[in-house]
Amino acid sequence: MKILMVCLGNICRSPLAHGIMEHMVSAKGLDWEIDSAGTGDWHVGHAPDKRSVQVALDRGIDISHQRAQLFHRSFFSEYDRILVMDHQNYKDVISMASDMKEKNKVSLFLNDDIVPDPYYDSNMFVPVYDLIEARCKQLIEEWTEK
C-alpha cells in the first residue's frame, strides 16, 4: 500500500504523520510506502519544522531527512490513499482530482475532525504528535484486518 499524508506546508503535521506511520509500519514488517506533501509551496525543499523534528526525535523517530514537496496531480495515480490534515487541505486536493476514483482516495486523516496546525503555537506539537500517533495505530489495525 502507498499512503500520502498531506497538510498545508509539509513541515509540521504531514511530516509527523509520515514519520510516525513509516516507523510503525516498519516495526510491523509491513511493505507499505509512506510519503508526505503540502498544498502550499512556501517550504518546498525544506526540512520539517525544527519543533516537529524534536518532538519526533524525543520519541525515537528521526524525520530530519524529509524534505517538503508540493502536492501534484500525479500523486492520485501514485498513491492508494491520500490522507489530509484539515478541511482546506481536503478541498485543495479534491479540486485537483479528475474523477470519482481519484476523489475516493482522499480522506481526512481523522475521519470527521482535523489535526490542528501547531505552527503558531509551540505548545501544540506534543498534543498533535500524540493525536497523530494514536490515529496511525488505528489505521494500521483497520487496514491490516481486511
Side-chain angles (χ1 to χ4, degrees), residues 7 12-13 24 31 41 45 50 52 58 62 66 76-77 81 84 92 94-95 99-102 111 143:
C7 70
C12 294
R13 297 170 291 176
M24 290 180 174
D31 187 25
D41 64 0
K50 63 183 181 184
S52 283
D58 289 347
D62 183 6
Q66 295 181 25
F76 288 110
S77 61
R81 297 177 187 269
V84 298
D92 292 342
I94 286 290
S95 73
D99 58 30
M100 282 309 294
K101 183 180 177 192
E102 290 182 350
N111 286 333
W143 293 339

Side-chain angles (χ1 to χ4, degrees), residues 103-127:
K103 287 180 182 179
N104 288 335
K105 290 184 177 190
V106 184
S107 62
L108 284 172
F109 181 77
L110 291 178
N111 286 333
D112 298 325
D113 203 358
I114 67 161
V115 177
D117 190 346
Y119 186 76
Y120 293 107
D121 184 356
S122 294
N123 295 321
M124 287 299 297
F125 280 84
V126 169

